[in-house]
Amino acid sequence: MFTAGESLPLVVTLVMPARGVTEQDVARLSDELLRATRAMSEVLGSPVDRDRP
């Protein structure tokens, strides 16, 4: 986890159309994005709390 004032080595953005995306799509993609960003943070040396969803 990075704190205020630290520079971020990367930014991840998820863009999708406003139409045709269901709440289930958003939930699924949010879960996938969270897993991916946690993995990236771990590779970059940030401690990862494996008990967090």
Side-chain angles (χ1 to χ4, degrees):
M1 174 178 251
F2 296 96
T3 60
E6 291 185 56
S7 63
L8 296 176
L10 61 94
V11 174
V12 177
T13 303
L14 177 62
V15 178
M16 62 184 86
R19 295 183 186 162
V21 177
T22 66
E23 288 184 30
Q24 291 82 11
D25 293 331
V26 171
R28 181 180 52 79
L29 292 169
S30 295
D31 289 342
E32 290 180 29
L33 183 61
L34 186 55
R35 279 193 298 276
T37 54
R38 281 195 180 132
M40 287 183 240
S41 291
E42 188 173 21
V43 168
L44 292 169
S46 178
V48 175
D49 182 356
R50 300 227 180 259
D51 294 330
R52 289 183 61 188

